[in-house]
Each structure stands twice: as C-alpha cells, then as structure tokens.
Amino acid sequence: MSKIFDTQLRGIFDRISAQEEQFEMAARLLAQAIMTEGEIYIKSFDEANFFNDYLLNSQEKLPKSKYYQGEHLTSADRIMVIAPHYTDQVHEMVAYLEEASIDYVLISNKSSEMIDSIMHFIDLKTSRAIVPNESYEKFITPHLMAINYVYYKLYILLEEMGCIDLNDYSSSERR
C-alpha cells in the first residue's frame, strides 16, 4: 500500500504541476495586490481551515495576507479561496466575488457546479481516495497535501517575481 500511495501522490503532484498557465496567472494576480495598495485575503473552507494559522503567521506567509472575515474589498485587493471541494458555501463566495468584480484565485477540486467565468482556478486533483485496501475500497484523500503543494508553488512563483524577499529572514529565524 505504501508504494501505491507514493505512486499516486507523485501522479497528483505531476497533474497539479501541469497547470503551469493557471499557476502563472494566479501568481500574477496575487502579485498585483502585493505590489500595490491591495491586500491578499485568505478564505478557506472545511479541511482547508487547517492551514489558516500557517498561511497567516508562518515565516513563509504571503506578504500583505489576512484572513477574510467579510471586510469590504477594494479593486486592489485579491482573495485566495481554498477548499477541498466546490461546495454550496464556496459557490456562494465565488458568486459574491464575481458580482462584486473582485479578483480571486480558487484552489479546489473541479466540480460540474462551478461558475463558468472562473478565470484563476487551480485544480487540486484530489477528488477521490487513492489507496485501495485488501477489499479494494479506497481510502486516503490527500487534499491537505495538495493544498500545501499548490501554496508552495504559488509562493515560489511570487518569490521569482520579486514579491517575496527571502533576504528578509535572518538565518536564525529560518531554522
């Protein structure tokens, strides 16, 4: 089972990485907030809430990031919506952002219920469990690993764009 898990997880990461254009567009969108008067707001749902503290308080947080709690957003602000599944709550949030003309990045598994106009979408590629047991029932759905992987790909792109200065961290802080 361990080898199956490793193989399946590598496949998921490969399929996520193949979304190069989506990553580039998402990173550019977030960079706009960092380089202007905007803020990057994080809005997570369900299991993705697990990442809130890390995304907002770690040494590797995005500059100018805050948790979205219903604040008034300006055209300079960007919001990163993170959810394992495109639920009704996520749909309502995306519909609100579309109606308010607020630019956002949606990180979720693809769903047939998605709004057609979503422009900055990164698919987690974890819509189902990946490891079969002895009775061929599958378990382990690695949403959190995929979310973490997507976050770090965006983080690296933003660093390459000059939006994150790694020299701001002293060597003692990075341990």
Side-chain angles (χ1 to χ4, degrees), residues 8-163:
Q8 292 289 347
L9 202 53
R10 276 197 267 326
I12 289 168
F13 289 163
D14 287 346
R15 288 189 300 279
I16 291 171
S17 282
Q19 300 174 82
E20 290 177 37
E21 185 177 325
Q22 291 87 339
F23 274 101
E24 188 69 30
M25 289 175 20
R28 287 178 191 271
L29 183 80
L30 297 174
Q32 291 169 359
I34 294 169
M35 302 306 250
T36 65
E37 300 297 316
E39 303 284 343
I40 295 175
Y41 287 93
I42 310 289
K43 179 62 178 167
S44 61
F45 294 88
D46 305 320
E47 293 113 335
N49 289 327
F50 174 81
F51 283 107
N52 290 342
D53 185 51
Y54 184 77
L55 295 177
L56 298 167
N57 299 309
S58 74
Q59 286 181 330
E60 295 173 331
K61 72 177 187 170
L62 297 178
K64 301 169 77 174
S65 59
K66 299 177 175 182
Y67 189 73
Y68 180 73
Q69 298 178 350
E71 294 88 344
H72 172 74
L73 301 172
T74 70
S75 60
D77 296 325
R78 303 295 181 254
I79 186 161
M80 194 161 44
V81 180
I82 307 169
H85 301 286
Y86 191 79
T87 63
D88 289 342
Q89 284 182 307
V90 176
H91 177 80
E92 288 173 19
M93 182 71 194
V94 167
Y96 162 74
L97 295 169
E98 289 282 333
E99 186 175 309
S101 296
I102 301 297
D103 289 326
Y104 63 94
V105 174
L106 174 61
I107 301 166
S108 178
N109 278 292
K110 193 163 187 144
S111 167
S112 60
E113 289 82 36
M114 287 183 153
I115 295 173
D116 291 335
S117 60
I118 294 174
M119 295 291 293
H120 306 290
F121 169 66
I122 298 172
D123 190 347
L124 291 174
K125 306 291 186 181
T126 57
S127 59
R128 58 184 170 75
I130 61 172
V131 178
N133 62 15
E134 293 82 24
S135 59
Y136 301 104
E137 295 173 11
K138 290 190 176 180
F139 66 109
I140 301 181
T141 310
H143 301 307
L144 297 180
M145 293 175 86
I147 291 167
N148 201 32
Y149 185 73
V150 167
Y151 177 78
Y152 275 111
K153 285 203 51 98
L154 288 170
Y155 187 87
I156 288 167
L157 286 170
L158 288 165
E159 191 281 330
E160 289 173 350
M161 292 176 182
C163 297

